[in-house]
Amino acid sequence: MDRNVLEHDLRELLDQARMSDYCPNGLQLEGRPQIQRLLTGVTASKALLELAVELNADAVLVHHGLMWKGDPQVITGFRKERLQLALAHDLNVFAYHLPLDKHPELGNNAQLGKMLGWPSTRVAGEKGLIHVGELVQPVPLGDLVKQVGTVLGHRVQVEGNNDPERLVDTVAWCTGGAPGYVEEAALQGADLYLTGELSEPAVHVARECNVSLLGAGHHATERCGVKALGEWIAQRYGIEVMFRDLFVAV
């Protein structure tokens, strides 16, 4: 598989040019020109890059890449070690952040809704990242919290209206670190808003808007998109794609 062809096709698939972001999307680090074995994971950590070397991968594809806006303009410490490792083994590093969150089929939000069996009837928010849907029938909050914890294998933090007997009819969600969208979720009529991690201001907003605010883990809510994208690549191009979850409890 030609590296440049893969980069072009993913750019088109994820419509990355239309999405402003906090990082460069696409090929962040150029490695060998041909890709036959691809490793996918959530974050381009040193551990994932070491695993790519161990597995003889030609490239890694992640949601959280090597470079972010506002990073220091000097390469030292852990940043130097990651880059040094990837360069020494001629690894390609692809990263797709918000474009992967947003994709209507392979994205983190679409895939999380599918995993939970929650219908997504509309999207909301400035970037269209919030998914909103009405459940087939109202479900007690306590049952939904248990479901999320079981599906994601992660402890769920509940703030705002945390009455386990509360009947939830409309749900909204946005994976990762998106607690600031709780107000928009409330404006969309959501009884429950699920995201990866919480913040102090968001807890107060949830309480005052009578929303059940769930924090189910940043990493835990964002494993599904990159895994689905890897499966799409394997099916389309016939190359070997491996997904590894180097789980962290946040």
Side-chain angles (χ1 to χ4, degrees), residues 28-55:
Q28 290 193 339
L29 184 65
E30 182 179 288
R32 61 198 70 160
Q34 293 295 316
I35 299 173
Q36 294 302 322
R37 180 174 288 184
L38 174 67
L39 176 65
T40 64
V42 177
T43 299
S45 62
K46 184 180 179 182
L48 188 73
L49 296 171
E50 288 174 336
L51 184 56
V53 173
E54 180 183 333
L55 295 172

Side-chain angles (χ1 to χ4, degrees), residues 14-249:
L14 299 173
D15 200 17
Q16 70 187 55
R18 292 181 179 271
M19 176 66 75
S20 62
D21 209 338
Y22 322 109
C23 62
N25 287 291
L27 183 65
Q28 290 193 339
L29 184 65
E30 182 179 288
R32 61 198 70 160
Q34 293 295 316
I35 299 173
Q36 294 302 322
R37 180 174 288 184
L38 174 67
L39 176 65
T40 64
V42 177
T43 299
S45 62
K46 184 180 179 182
L48 188 73
L49 296 171
E50 288 174 336
L51 184 56
V53 173
E54 180 183 333
L55 295 172
N56 295 315
D58 304 300
V60 298
L61 187 152
V62 297
H63 182 50
H64 302 137
L66 296 168
M67 304 158 190
W68 298 90
K69 290 180 181 178
D71 276 356
Q73 293 184 321
V74 295
I75 301 173
T76 59
F78 74 88
R79 294 183 181 87
K80 178 251 187 181
E81 292 182 0
R82 291 178 180 180
L83 284 171
Q84 186 175 50
L85 179 60
L87 288 168
H89 294 276
D90 207 16
L91 284 172
N92 294 286
V93 178
F94 295 87
Y96 298 94
H97 187 232
L98 294 184
L100 183 57
D101 285 324
K102 187 174 182 179
H103 193 272
E105 296 178 9
L106 303 174
N108 282 317
N109 288 304
Q111 288 291 314
L112 181 60
K114 184 182 296 186
M115 289 171 63
L116 294 172
W118 291 1
S120 176
T121 56
R122 62 188 186 276
V123 296
E126 179 184 0
K127 295 180 182 292
L129 294 171
I130 306 170
H131 283 231
V132 184
E134 286 73 36
L135 300 177
V136 175
Q137 61 183 24
V139 179
L141 173 64
D143 291 351
L144 290 174
V145 172
K146 289 178 182 177
Q147 177 200 13
V148 172
T150 299
V151 170
L152 297 180
H154 193 276
R155 183 183 68 85
V156 181
Q157 184 178 355
V158 185
E159 298 291 348
N161 187 328
N162 59 6
D163 179 2
E165 301 301 320
R166 180 194 193 186
L167 291 178
V168 174
D169 178 63
T170 302
V171 293
W173 66 95
C174 183
T175 64
Y181 287 156
V182 63
E183 180 180 6
E184 180 62 31
L187 292 173
Q188 292 293 324
D191 306 306
L192 176 154
Y193 174 61
L194 166 67
T195 188
E197 58 188 62
L198 306 186
S199 67
E200 195 268 356
V203 171
H204 289 292
V205 173
R207 290 172 179 172
E208 292 165 31
C209 292
N210 196 34
V211 172
S212 298
L213 175 62
L214 274 59
H218 192 136
H219 181 102
T221 59
E222 296 199 317
R223 290 174 288 189
C224 46
V226 72
K227 187 174 185 292
L229 180 58
E231 291 169 353
W232 181 90
I233 292 170
Q235 183 175 15
R236 183 176 178 88
Y237 302 107
I239 65 174
E240 183 179 0
V241 179
M242 305 162 287
F243 171 75
R244 295 293 185 273
D245 180 20
L246 304 185
F247 184 76
V248 289

